[in-house]
mmCIF file of all heavy atoms in Angstrom:
data_model
loop_
_atom_site.group_PDB
_atom_site.id
_atom_site.type_symbol
_atom_site.label_atom_id
_atom_site.label_comp_id
_atom_site.label_asym_id
_atom_site.label_seq_id
_atom_site.Cartn_x
_atom_site.Cartn_y
_atom_site.Cartn_z
ATOM 1 N N HIS A 17 120.052 45.702 78.254
ATOM 2 C CA HIS A 17 119.108 45.319 77.192
ATOM 3 C C HIS A 17 119.215 46.352 76.071
ATOM 4 O O HIS A 17 118.684 47.452 76.178
ATOM 5 C CB HIS A 17 117.680 45.290 77.754
ATOM 6 C CG HIS A 17 116.648 44.821 76.778
ATOM 7 N ND1 HIS A 17 115.667 43.903 77.111
ATOM 8 C CD2 HIS A 17 116.424 45.139 75.484
ATOM 9 C CE1 HIS A 17 114.895 43.683 76.071
ATOM 10 N NE2 HIS A 17 115.324 44.423 75.066
ATOM 11 N N HIS A 19 119.333 47.092 71.679
ATOM 12 C CA HIS A 19 119.198 46.698 70.268
ATOM 13 C C HIS A 19 120.164 47.539 69.438
ATOM 14 O O HIS A 19 120.070 48.766 69.445
ATOM 15 C CB HIS A 19 117.774 46.945 69.770
ATOM 16 C CG HIS A 19 116.747 46.114 70.479
ATOM 17 N ND1 HIS A 19 116.349 44.874 70.027
ATOM 18 C CD2 HIS A 19 116.056 46.339 71.623
ATOM 19 C CE1 HIS A 19 115.438 44.370 70.859
ATOM 20 N NE2 HIS A 19 115.247 45.235 71.841
ATOM 21 N N MET A 42 120.656 42.345 72.043
ATOM 22 C CA MET A 42 119.485 41.542 71.656
ATOM 23 C C MET A 42 119.688 40.877 70.292
ATOM 24 O O MET A 42 120.347 41.449 69.408
ATOM 25 C CB MET A 42 118.238 42.433 71.635
ATOM 26 C CG MET A 42 117.817 42.867 73.005
ATOM 27 S SD MET A 42 117.357 41.435 74.032
ATOM 28 C CE MET A 42 118.365 41.732 75.480
ATOM 29 N N LYS A 100 117.438 34.699 74.841
ATOM 30 C CA LYS A 100 116.314 35.633 74.909
ATOM 31 C C LYS A 100 115.080 34.926 74.356
ATOM 32 O O LYS A 100 115.050 34.522 73.201
ATOM 33 C CB LYS A 100 116.617 36.878 74.062
ATOM 34 C CG LYS A 100 115.467 37.872 73.961
ATOM 35 C CD LYS A 100 115.218 38.613 75.254
ATOM 36 C CE LYS A 100 113.960 39.469 75.224
ATOM 37 N NZ LYS A 100 114.102 40.682 74.420
ATOM 38 N N TYR A 102 111.268 35.012 73.265
ATOM 39 C CA TYR A 102 110.136 35.835 72.840
ATOM 40 C C TYR A 102 108.935 34.928 72.613
ATOM 41 O O TYR A 102 109.053 33.928 71.886
ATOM 42 C CB TYR A 102 110.421 36.510 71.492
ATOM 43 C CG TYR A 102 111.477 37.587 71.486
ATOM 44 C CD1 TYR A 102 112.815 37.282 71.257
ATOM 45 C CD2 TYR A 102 111.138 38.930 71.668
ATOM 46 C CE1 TYR A 102 113.789 38.268 71.215
ATOM 47 C CE2 TYR A 102 112.106 39.924 71.631
ATOM 48 C CZ TYR A 102 113.426 39.584 71.400
ATOM 49 O OH TYR A 102 114.388 40.567 71.362
ATOM 50 N N HIS A 171 112.406 44.532 80.587
ATOM 51 C CA HIS A 171 111.632 45.787 80.466
ATOM 52 C C HIS A 171 110.266 45.736 81.160
ATOM 53 O O HIS A 171 109.233 45.860 80.525
ATOM 54 C CB HIS A 171 111.481 46.215 78.998
ATOM 55 C CG HIS A 171 111.142 45.115 78.032
ATOM 56 N ND1 HIS A 171 110.046 44.303 78.176
ATOM 57 C CD2 HIS A 171 111.774 44.704 76.908
ATOM 58 C CE1 HIS A 171 110.027 43.445 77.180
ATOM 59 N NE2 HIS A 171 111.052 43.663 76.404
ATOM 60 N N ASP A 243 116.609 49.055 76.505
ATOM 61 C CA ASP A 243 115.767 48.613 75.391
ATOM 62 C C ASP A 243 115.771 49.663 74.287
ATOM 63 O O ASP A 243 114.789 49.804 73.553
ATOM 64 C CB ASP A 243 114.330 48.301 75.842
ATOM 65 C CG ASP A 243 113.586 47.425 74.838
ATOM 66 O OD1 ASP A 243 114.236 46.897 73.906
ATOM 67 O OD2 ASP A 243 112.357 47.280 74.968
HETATM 68 ZN ZN1 ZN B 425 114.080 44.861 73.467
#
Side-chain angles (χ1 to χ4, degrees):
H17 184 135
H19 296 269
M42 290 297 128
K100 175 71 188 286
Y102 291 90
H171 44 56
D243 199 11

